[in-house]
Amino acid sequence: MAISDTLKAISDPVRRQILELLRKQSYAAGEIASQFELKPATVSYHLKLLKEAGLITERKDKNFIYYDLNASVFEEVLSWIYSLKMGGEHDEQK
Amino acid sequence: MAISDTLKAISDPVRRQILELLRKQSYAAGEIASQFELKPATVSYHLKLLKEAGLITERKDKNFIYYDLNASVFEEVLSWIYSLKMGGEHDEQK
DNA sequence: ATTCTATTTAGAAAATAATCAAAATAGAGC
DNA sequence: GCTCTATTTTGATTATTTTCTAAATAGAAT
């Protein structure tokens, strides 16, 4: 929920690719996992981090879990970057 | 120089604070180090990563090394984020 | 030239993160 | 109720990152 979690989440290339996958549509965990040369458990770990950062939401249907992108979380990152670009003030971070 | 390096660089809170410090003006390595409860060698390590990511530049004067922010590197990050927000196409990453 | 002062580099230790295998959960379909 | 199938959780292992101490560099000042 903090900018720290967001930036940590997108610092990993696997997690960025997951977000890119979800750009257009939802996918079930298994469909996401099949895109990588990683075990489902590993992808599940990445999904958990993305979920904790608020970058994706989950939705259960049958015994599938579908994931959706939530790009609104990026607002905080954008304003942090803008504040640097503009040399203006900005909320402190802990 | 790649988006991967930029995001890795800003995923660490110490490095983000360094960038925030440099938002308004340059500081010498020692002045930066004194802002943290970390040894100068450790801060130097963070400065190296920021420099490698292109987020800061260095400039020597006397026996000091001054660092400056280079926020232009964020362009790539901004366009990646926008592409997610808009659901449009975007260059693939490796 | 020797001695400060500022900073980095090298190497080791500590902390964190990513991965996997195996076990656990949960719901679907018989 | 069982038995699939999809997915997550747990615990262990490996890999990466952060931090430190000690040594190295470099230029300034005596």
Side-chain angles (χ1 to χ4, degrees), chain B residues 36-89:
Chain B
F36 298 91
E37 298 191 329
L38 292 172
K39 300 293 162 186
T42 301
V43 175
S44 182
Y45 156 78
H46 287 297
L47 290 170
K48 185 178 63 147
L49 295 190
L50 288 169
K51 196 173 18 167
E52 284 171 1
L55 283 162
I56 60 176
T57 57
E58 72 179 21
R59 175 169 48 86
K60 303 183 188 189
D61 186 9
K62 294 182 56 182
N63 51 343
F64 296 87
I65 302 180
Y66 290 93
Y67 286 96
D68 293 278
L69 178 64
N70 175 28
S72 71
V73 168
F74 282 119
E75 292 310 322
E76 207 177 354
V77 174
L78 292 178
S79 91
W80 181 76
I81 291 176
Y82 285 136
S83 79
L84 285 178
K85 284 169 54 114
M86 312 231 169
E89 279 82 35

Side-chain angles (χ1 to χ4, degrees), chain A residues 3-4 7-8 10-17 19-21 23-24 69 71-72 74-75 77-78 80-94, chain B residues 3-4 7-8 10-17 19-21 23-24 69 71-72 74-75 77-78 80-94:
Chain A
I3 193 172
S4 187
L7 292 176
K8 211 85 171 256
I10 65 173
S11 73
D12 182 89
V14 170
R15 290 191 291 269
R16 284 199 299 281
Q17 281 184 245
L19 295 179
E20 289 170 12
L21 237 188
R23 186 163 48 187
K24 293 297 218 358
L69 178 65
S72 71
F74 282 119
E75 292 310 322
V77 174
L78 292 179
W80 180 77
I81 291 176
Y82 286 136
S83 77
L84 285 179
K85 284 170 50 116
M86 312 230 169
E89 280 80 34
H90 190 261
D91 297 341
E92 284 308 333
Q93 57 146 177
K94 187 170 60 269
Chain B
I3 193 172
S4 189
L7 292 176
K8 210 82 169 256
I10 65 174
S11 72
D12 182 87
V14 170
R15 290 191 291 269
R16 284 199 301 278
Q17 280 182 245
L19 295 178
E20 289 170 11
L21 237 188
R23 185 165 47 186
K24 292 294 217 1
L69 178 64
S72 71
F74 282 119
E75 292 310 322
V77 174
L78 292 178
W80 181 76
I81 291 176
Y82 285 136
S83 79
L84 285 178
K85 284 169 54 114
M86 312 231 169
E89 279 82 35
H90 189 262
D91 295 341
E92 285 308 333
Q93 57 146 178
K94 180 164 72 273

Side-chain angles (χ1 to χ4, degrees), chain A residues 13-71:
Chain A
V14 170
R15 290 191 291 269
R16 284 199 299 281
Q17 281 184 245
I18 292 174
L19 295 179
E20 289 170 12
L21 237 188
L22 299 176
R23 186 163 48 187
K24 293 297 218 358
Q25 49 168 293
S26 313
Y27 285 101
E31 299 175 299
I32 297 170
S34 69
Q35 297 283 120
F36 298 90
E37 297 191 330
L38 292 171
K39 300 294 162 185
T42 301
V43 174
S44 183
Y45 156 79
H46 287 297
L47 289 170
K48 184 178 64 150
L49 295 190
L50 288 170
K51 196 173 20 169
E52 283 170 1
L55 283 162
I56 59 175
T57 57
E58 70 178 21
R59 177 169 47 85
K60 302 183 186 189
D61 187 9
K62 293 184 58 182
N63 51 344
F64 295 88
I65 303 181
Y66 289 93
Y67 286 96
D68 293 277
L69 178 65
N70 175 27

